[in-house]
């Protein structure tokens, strides 16, 4: 039996399977029990769109985002290989369209032909990058890796757990998780309408890679003499890149399906050969491009002038420990929800509009769902863009040198306040002080006074009534989380006093600069 | 591209559905072409790598040295020939102001030709002059007029009002009074503050109205009022009005805060408005029953002495106002104003 080396399509399929599995594996390993030095943010870091947009808004290429350079450089030589070989959303779309497209072959030829609709993604990219140029980072709404990570973290995996998958210890819940996952479901279902509709028409990362594939050295090439114009190459073409004519290099994902389909062996991937067909240039309308850019530029002052925590604090906008001040935070957060995945208590939640339009789906703490674990700093270590700084535990709890007993200011997320009308010892003559018990700081920020008083019957009782010491409170929210008043806790944390803000203060002299 | 291959397209005699362009043939890959393509892509790749290297950072925010300003000392040199504290009593506000300033050596001692002078009246509230919650507009006009006569290039009037600034400047009569004598009102807009090191015991870096960094001379124009927390609001407490930010937190430690403010802002001259004195329900007032006519102007160079002098109008003694002793200890002035060179005149 003659040994046949695997074709490029088979190799692509192996890569695709590997990277898709790797994506799921890393996402699964992103928790306290399994993190063991894996680069769980690998896919977010490989994403050139994240790197470019965050570099535009923050002025830096942060840590792991440098990996995106690898993809950029390879794309300059090879074209848009990322989309079918590495991108987990692209691979998912590919699998779905392969399995669930029931069109007749004749229709395949029609729908896999390049269409002017495909230009839309370039206009979206232009709009998002122009906004980033003016400091507004909204790339996370449409970046495929962010979309996929966010949908898995806040929607699909909690749903799987609910079905009994069992990889969480307790069922996670996310604010609006279903609504977030609907976006992914829509992307997946769109494959029924058109093969890889998302990748061809909407994906801004695909568009960026398309621009970078402006002039690749290696590409699909067709020998015009061997080609009999049967168009069979179109049958399974994923990119809609016209391999039967002048190849639209910016649309070709290097899926290699056309190579296998060609009965004449007229197609090859590689260097130019004599009689190779030409490639078609990037097809965009300059006028539409300028229109998109201008519209985005007009949108910037509109966003910047609407309410945001950067100007006026909001009690519910409690950010994870190590979060940058709101303005640089929003200039970095891509709403990927990696922090929400790694958070052990489920306290990190995607914000709705309480922090302003720009802050949609950025992480906040909802202390009824969880609390910030005193010695946990995982969120900052998985944040791909540095919106949350990677803290050391000692830095977070304010213990610079544990052995020498040096104390520094701990990271504060907010401050706890008692609601005397709901607190059992304050309002109901009932002993409690669970809040004092769970308070993690040493000395405790929650303390109590023993008070002797008469109850309704005139009986003498002794109660411990709790207080908060604002200089010690770090706003971790465990008091609120464990408060037995189940609906609205009798002690609640609000964002005031948070370390990251110079404005959101109440006590004189509590700012970093003494303000 | 490659027009010469156009004829070869139909070599095999096939019919083409899509027109000839689809079967255009690439320029052959000569060595030169290969090198050119590799150089182009390689050059771009190197450019990207260099940009990445330059932009790479392990810190989410690159440390930036923020410039923090400090306030200048606006005082003029001491002069033993003239009074340090001067009291003028009478009915004519302008004449009283002129007399009090004359006793200190005249406006020429404080304002030189070409100076920019910043007047800081108390314009905290959306109140009318009769309610005495703000500095009397006639006092502002008289001082501004003196500055103009001394050849000041510009006279600015500013304050960080507690009520809406536009309403406060308008209804206090101070905007109209300033305009009448050619002074300009400088409203405190949200972008008009710069981080300033107050170098105090309680007050460190705070946002301060930028006009205080852009002027040559500063004249303090406080009004005498009762204040529920500090007891009184006089010359030293009037410097609250230079601050932006969350200055409402200063109440948590008000006496050291007042001393820090007075130590940070050293004015050229202070003219205290005691024409009408808000005796109760301060510092906002509202009722004419709480206002007492005193028909007095006190000018001076020592804010501690001026505040100490004005306490009498509110029925207070210096022992009831802790910031005075604290200020004296810091060397800001004398609580015992009689120990200074002072003069009093009846005008008209």
């Amino acid at each position: 039996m003659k040994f046949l080396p695997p074709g490029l399509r088979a190799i692509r399929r192996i890569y695709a399977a590997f990277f898709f599995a790797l994506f799921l594996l890393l996402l699964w390993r992103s928790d306290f029990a399994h993190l063991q030095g894996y680069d769980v943010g690998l896919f977010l870091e490989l994403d050139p769109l994240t790197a470019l947009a965050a570099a535009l808004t923050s002025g830096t290429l942060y840590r792991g985002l440098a990996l995106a350079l690898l993809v950029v450089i390879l794309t300059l030589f090879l074209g848009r290989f990322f989309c079918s070989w590495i991108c987990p959303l692209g691979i998912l779309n590919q699998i779905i369209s392969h399995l669930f497209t029931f069109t007749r072959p004749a229709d395949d030829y029609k729908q896999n032909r390049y269409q002017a609709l495909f230009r839309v993604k370039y206009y979206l990219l232009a709009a998002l990058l122009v906004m980033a140029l003016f400091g507004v980072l909204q790339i996370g709404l449409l970046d495929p890796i962010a979309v996929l990570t966010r949908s898995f973290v806040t929607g699909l995996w909690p749903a799987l757990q609910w079905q009994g998958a069992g990889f969480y210890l307790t069922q996670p819940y996310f604010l609006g998780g279903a609504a977030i996952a609907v976006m992914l479901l829509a992307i997946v279902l769109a494959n029924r309408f058109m093969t890889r509709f998302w990748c061809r028409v909407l994906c801004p990362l695909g568009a960026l890679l398309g621009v970078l594939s402006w002039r690749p050295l290696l590409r699909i090439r067709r020998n015009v003499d061997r080609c009999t114009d049967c168009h069979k190459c179109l049958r399974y073409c994923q990119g809609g890149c016209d391999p039967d004519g002048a190849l639209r290099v910016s649309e070709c994902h290097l899926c290699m399906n056309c190579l296998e389909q060609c009965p004449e062996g007229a197609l090859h991937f590689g260097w130019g050969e004599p009689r190779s067909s030409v490639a078609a240039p990037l097809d965009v309308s300059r006028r539409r491009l300028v229109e998109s850019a201008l519209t985005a530029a007009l949108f910037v002052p509109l966003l910047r002038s609407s309410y945001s925590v950067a100007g006026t604090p909001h009690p519910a906008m409690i950010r994870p420990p190590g979060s940058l001040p709101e303005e640089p935070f929003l200039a970095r957060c891509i709403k990927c929800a990696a922090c929400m995945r790694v958070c052990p208590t489920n306290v990190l939640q995607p914000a709705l509009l309480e922090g302003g339009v720009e802050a949609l789906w950025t992480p906040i703490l909802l202390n009824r769902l969880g609390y910030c674990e005193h010695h946990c700093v995982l969120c900052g270590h998985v944040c791909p863009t540095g919106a949350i700084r990677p803290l050391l535990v000692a830095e977070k709890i304010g213990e610079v040198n544990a052995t020498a007993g040096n104390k520094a200011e701990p990271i504060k997320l907010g401050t706890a306040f008692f609601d005397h009308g709901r607190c059992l010892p304050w309002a109901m003559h009932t002993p409690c002080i669970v809040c004092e018990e769970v308070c993690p700081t040493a000395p405790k920020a929650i303390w109590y006074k023993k008070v002797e008083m008469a109850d309704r019957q005139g009986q003498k009782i002794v109660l411990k009534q709790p207080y908060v010491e604002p200089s010690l409170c770090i706003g971790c929210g465990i008091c609120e989380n464990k408060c037995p008043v189940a609906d609205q806790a009798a002690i609640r944390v609000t964002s005031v006093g948070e370390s990251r803000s110079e404005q959101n203060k109440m006590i004189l002299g509590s700012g970093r600069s003494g303000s | 591209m490659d027009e010469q291959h156009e004829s070869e397209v139909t070599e095999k005699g096939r019919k083409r559905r899509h027109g000839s362009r689809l079967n255009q043939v690439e320029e052959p890959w000569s060595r030169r072409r290969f090198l050119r393509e590799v150089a182009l892509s390689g050059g771009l790749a190197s450019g990207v790598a260099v940009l990445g290297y330059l932009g790479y950072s392990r810190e989410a925010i690159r440390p930036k040295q923020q410039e923090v300003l400090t306030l200048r000392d606006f005082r003029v040199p001491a002069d033993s020939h003239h009074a340090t504290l001067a009291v003028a009593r009478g009915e004519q506000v302008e004449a009283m102001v002129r007399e009090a300033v004359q006793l200190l050596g005249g406006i020429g001692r404080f304002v030189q030709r070409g100076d920019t002078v910043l007047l800081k009246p108390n314009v905290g509230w959306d109140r009318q002059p009769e309610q005495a919650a703000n500095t009397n507009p006639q006092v502002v006009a008289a001082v501004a007029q003196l500055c103009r006569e001394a050849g000041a290039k510009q006279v600015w009037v500013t304050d960080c009002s507690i009520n809406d600034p536009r309403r406060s400047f308008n209804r206090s009569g101070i905007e109209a009074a300033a305009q009448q004598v050619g002074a300009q009102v400088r409203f405190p807009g949200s972008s008009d503050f710069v981080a300033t090191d107050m170098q105090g015991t309680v007050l460190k870096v705070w946002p301060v109205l930028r006009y205080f960094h852009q002027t040559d001379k500063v004249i303090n124009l406080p009004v005498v009022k009762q204040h529920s927390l500090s007891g009184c609001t006089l010359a030293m407490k009037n410097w609250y009005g230079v601050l932006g930010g969350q200055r409402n937190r200063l109440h948590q430690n008000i006496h050291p805060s007042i001393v820090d403010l007075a130590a940070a802002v050293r004015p050229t001259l202070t003219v205290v408005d005691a024409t009408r004195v808000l005796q109760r329900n301060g510092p906002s007032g509202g009722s004419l029953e709480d206002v007492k006519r005193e028909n007095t102007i006190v000018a001076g160079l020592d804010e501690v002495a001026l505040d100490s002098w004005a306490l009498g109008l509110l029925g207070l003694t210096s022992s009831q106002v802790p910031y005075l002793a604290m200020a004296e200890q810091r060397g800001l002035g004398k609580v015992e104003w009689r120990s200074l060179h002072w003069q009093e005149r009846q005008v008209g």
Side-chain angles (χ1 to χ4, degrees):
Chain A
M1 204 176 90
K2 204 175 140 197
F3 173 74
L4 280 171
L8 283 171
R9 177 175 68 179
I11 295 174
R12 187 262 303 163
R13 282 178 172 167
I14 293 166
Y15 269 86
F18 170 76
F19 278 112
F20 192 70
L22 184 66
F23 174 77
L24 295 180
L25 178 83
L26 291 178
L27 209 53
W28 170 56
R29 303 299 288 191
S30 296
D31 65 23
F32 177 69
H34 301 101
L35 272 176
Q36 279 164 12
Y38 294 96
D39 184 10
V40 290
L42 179 68
F43 285 87
L44 290 159
E45 292 168 346
L46 280 172
D47 180 342
L49 183 61
T50 303
L52 173 61
L56 285 177
T57 52
S58 73
T60 60
L61 185 65
Y62 180 69
R63 296 194 177 205
L65 291 179
L67 285 176
L69 292 176
L70 213 65
V71 174
V72 171
I73 289 167
L74 280 174
T75 303
L76 285 171
F77 289 98
L78 299 175
R80 225 174 122 182
F81 72 97
F82 184 83
C83 303
S84 274
W85 293 58
I86 296 178
C87 177
L89 184 56
I91 294 164
L92 182 67
N93 281 331
Q94 175 128 358
I95 295 168
I96 299 291
S97 11
H98 189 73
L99 293 179
F100 298 104
T101 306
F102 304 112
T103 41
R104 295 175 304 150
D107 293 330
D108 283 344
Y109 296 126
K110 219 181 283 168
Q111 75 135 356
N112 285 342
R113 192 164 285 296
Y114 177 78
Q115 296 163 41
L117 185 65
F118 296 2
R119 297 168 179 168
V120 169
K121 60 179 175 293
Y122 296 102
Y123 307 142
L124 281 176
L125 173 74
L128 289 168
L129 287 185
V130 164
M131 279 164 70
L133 205 59
F134 288 106
V136 174
L137 187 69
Q138 288 299 321
I139 213 91
L141 290 176
L142 290 177
D143 178 88
I145 313 290
V147 166
L148 195 67
T149 310
R150 182 170 67 230
S151 305
F152 266 87
V153 169
T154 66
L156 298 188
W157 282 22
L160 273 177
Q161 173 73 16
W162 193 80
Q163 292 283 353
F167 51 85
Y168 291 92
L169 201 55
T170 48
Q171 173 70 44
Y173 296 97
F174 288 96
L175 191 65
I180 291 172
V182 158
M183 185 171 165
L184 177 62
L185 293 183
I187 289 170
V188 167
L189 288 176
N191 288 306
R192 294 278 283 116
F193 163 68
M194 180 200 285
T195 298
R196 297 190 72 166
F197 177 81
W198 165 265
C199 312
R200 288 178 181 179
V201 180
L202 294 174
C203 182
L205 173 57
L208 176 64
L209 296 171
V211 173
L212 292 172
S213 323
W214 160 65
R215 214 177 164 131
L217 291 182
L218 307 178
R219 62 171 174 88
I220 302 282
R221 288 184 158 89
R222 182 173 56 95
N223 184 312
V224 295
D225 293 341
R226 283 202 207 141
C227 175
T228 60
D229 275 346
C230 70
H231 306 300
K232 275 190 172 168
C233 48
L234 282 183
R235 176 79 201 278
Y236 297 114
C237 176
Q238 299 278 331
C241 51
D242 290 351
D244 60 334
L247 183 82
R248 308 260 178 189
V249 270
S250 291
E251 307 301 319
C252 175
H253 307 158
L254 280 68
C255 74
M256 309 293 181
N257 287 350
C258 54
L259 300 187
E260 311 285 332
Q261 289 299 308
C262 183
E264 308 291 336
L267 293 166
H268 83 284
F269 174 77
W271 305 104
E273 286 174 358
R275 312 297 300 151
S276 284
S277 58
V278 294
L282 180 62
D283 174 40
V284 283
S285 146
R286 192 176 302 173
R287 185 171 294 183
R288 300 287 167 278
L289 212 55
V290 171
E291 283 167 6
S292 321
L294 279 179
T295 311
L298 290 176
F299 212 64
V300 169
L302 209 58
L303 276 175
R304 279 291 140 110
S305 60
S306 60
Y307 169 80
S308 134
V309 184
T312 313
H314 188 287
M317 292 299 288
I318 307 169
R319 294 287 192 196
S323 292
L324 302 183
E326 188 69 6
E327 212 178 318
F329 182 92
L330 290 179
R332 285 161 183 81
C333 178
I334 54 163
K335 315 160 191 283
C336 67
C339 53
M340 302 173 205
R341 168 69 189 110
V342 83
C343 177
T345 70
N346 198 203
V347 69
L348 288 186
Q349 296 287 324
L352 299 176
L353 296 176
E354 53 277 67
V357 182
E358 280 187 68
L360 178 71
W361 295 338
T362 57
I364 55 169
L365 279 77
L366 284 188
N367 290 321
R368 280 274 82 162
L369 285 164
Y371 61 92
C372 186
E373 197 65 82
H374 195 211
H375 284 230
C376 173
V377 290
L378 295 180
C379 50
H381 288 270
V382 298
C383 181
T385 56
I388 313 173
R389 277 192 304 130
L391 298 173
L392 300 172
V393 175
E395 195 181 353
K396 184 188 174 196
I397 66 174
E399 206 162 63
V400 171
N401 186 339
T403 46
N406 286 349
K407 284 275 181 185
E409 183 82 349
I411 302 285
K412 290 166 182 270
L413 311 183
T415 310
F417 293 85
F418 279 105
D419 184 340
H420 283 190
R422 301 175 72 84
C423 178
L424 304 183
W426 278 103
M428 323 276 177
H429 284 167
T430 307
C432 181
I433 62 156
V434 172
C435 50
E436 191 266 358
E437 179 192 354
V438 295
C439 181
T441 63
K444 286 178 188 289
I446 298 180
W447 59 284
Y448 57 82
K449 278 187 197 169
K450 270 191 192 171
V451 187
E452 207 172 276
M453 61 176 81
D455 67 8
R456 192 175 182 179
Q457 282 75 36
Q459 296 280 339
K460 212 170 242 180
I461 51 167
V462 177
L463 281 171
K464 290 171 179 169
Q465 291 181 326
Y467 293 81
V468 176
E469 171 69 55
S471 64
L472 293 174
C473 179
I474 54 171
C476 71
I478 191 170
C479 49
E480 179 177 347
N481 185 251
K482 306 293 184 191
C483 175
V485 184
D487 58 341
Q488 188 180 37
I491 181 165
R492 298 188 293 277
V493 174
T494 70
S495 64
V496 73
E498 54 181 342
S499 302
R500 71 192 188 107
S501 167
E502 281 292 306
Q503 289 83 43
N504 193 9
K505 296 281 184 248
M506 60 176 174
I507 303 294
L508 184 63
S510 56
R512 259 195 311 280
S513 54
S515 61
Chain B
M1 186 182 204
D2 296 353
E3 295 300 324
Q4 76 264 31
H5 295 295
E6 204 59 34
S7 59
E8 296 170 10
V9 163
T10 49
E11 193 182 54
K12 290 187 177 177
R14 293 191 201 105
K15 282 195 172 178
R16 300 284 180 186
R17 265 199 303 146
H18 304 298
S20 58
R21 175 171 165 65
L22 299 180
N23 275 333
Q24 278 179 20
V25 173
E26 267 190 296
E27 196 183 323
W29 278 64
S30 59
R31 177 183 315 222
R32 175 188 290 266
R33 165 106 196 264
F34 175 81
L35 291 175
R36 201 179 66 208
E37 294 286 334
V38 171
L40 198 63
S41 296
L44 273 174
S46 319
V48 166
V50 167
L51 275 178
Y53 176 76
L54 293 177
Y56 181 78
S57 167
R58 284 189 60 76
E59 294 303 322
I61 296 190
R62 293 206 166 146
K64 202 169 55 184
Q65 213 65 39
Q66 198 201 353
E67 199 194 353
V68 178
L69 303 170
T70 51
L71 282 164
R72 228 179 320 148
D73 187 343
F74 296 103
R75 288 177 297 176
V76 291
D79 173 2
S80 56
H81 302 300
H82 300 288
T84 305
L85 188 148
V87 185
R89 298 188 193 268
E91 298 282 332
Q92 299 292 319
V93 174
E94 192 185 343
M96 285 150 64
V97 169
R98 277 178 186 277
E99 182 61 29
V101 173
Q102 196 55 49
L103 291 174
L104 300 180
I107 192 69
R109 184 182 162 196
F110 306 105
V111 176
Q112 274 73 52
R113 186 161 294 282
D115 274 354
T116 295
V117 185
L118 180 58
L119 308 187
K120 165 62 181 80
N122 188 329
V123 201
W125 308 94
D126 178 13
R127 295 284 196 214
Q128 289 170 314
E130 297 72 26
Q131 292 167 314
N134 302 312
T135 302
N136 188 333
Q138 293 177 303
V139 173
V140 180
V143 175
Q145 179 62 33
L146 281 176
C147 295
R148 302 288 296 177
E149 288 168 13
K153 188 177 66 185
Q154 297 182 89
V155 182
W156 293 342
V157 184
T158 197
D159 192 14
C160 288
S161 309
I162 294 160
N163 289 152
D164 174 64
R166 289 200 185 273
R167 282 191 67 95
S168 301
F169 273 87
N170 180 299
R171 298 226 312 148
S172 65
I174 287 175
E175 187 173 7
Q179 279 166 356
Q180 249 168 21
V181 293
Q184 293 161 290
V185 172
R186 292 288 175 171
F187 286 106
S190 54
S191 55
D192 292 326
F193 293 89
V194 284
T196 304
D197 191 354
M198 304 298 279
Q199 299 174 315
T201 54
V202 187
L203 302 185
K204 309 290 184 199
V205 178
W206 278 79
V208 163
L209 261 184
R210 64 183 170 94
Y211 314 121
F212 284 85
H213 292 291
Q214 297 167 336
T215 184
D216 302 310
K217 300 286 160 59
V218 171
I219 299 179
N220 190 10
L221 300 178
V223 62
V224 180
K225 290 191 287 181
Q226 182 266 348
H227 188 278
S228 38
L229 187 65
S230 57
C232 55
T233 166
L234 303 166
M236 286 169 68
K237 195 179 173 298
N238 200 32
W239 297 123
Y240 258 63
V242 309
L243 295 184
Q246 256 192 298
R247 67 180 199 206
N248 42 16
R249 289 182 294 152
L250 266 52
H251 276 207
Q252 295 164 24
N253 206 359
I254 195 161
H255 293 286
S257 296
I258 292 172
V259 178
D260 280 355
L261 281 168
V265 194
R266 307 305 303 269
T268 316
L269 170 68
T270 301
V271 180
V272 179
D273 166 26
T275 54
R276 300 185 188 91
V277 171
L278 184 62
Q279 302 260 333
R280 290 168 297 279
N281 207 25
S284 52
S287 168
L288 296 182
E289 287 170 18
D290 296 332
V291 179
K292 195 175 165 201
R293 270 273 176 195
E294 293 287 354
N295 293 329
T296 307
I297 294 290
V298 200
L301 306 177
D302 179 334
E303 288 179 304
V304 183
L306 285 165
D307 280 11
S308 174
W309 184 93
L311 284 180
L313 300 176
L314 296 166
L316 294 167
T317 62
S318 56
S319 60
Q320 290 169 286
V321 184
Y323 77 76
L324 285 174
M326 294 163 83
E328 186 174 76
Q329 216 166 27
R330 273 238 232 142
L332 299 181
K334 290 264 178 275
V335 178
E336 192 43 75
W337 56 272
R338 283 184 186 82
S339 69
L340 302 172
H341 177 191
W342 69 281
Q343 285 181 301
E344 180 166 338
R345 289 275 192 285
Q346 185 70 34
V347 181

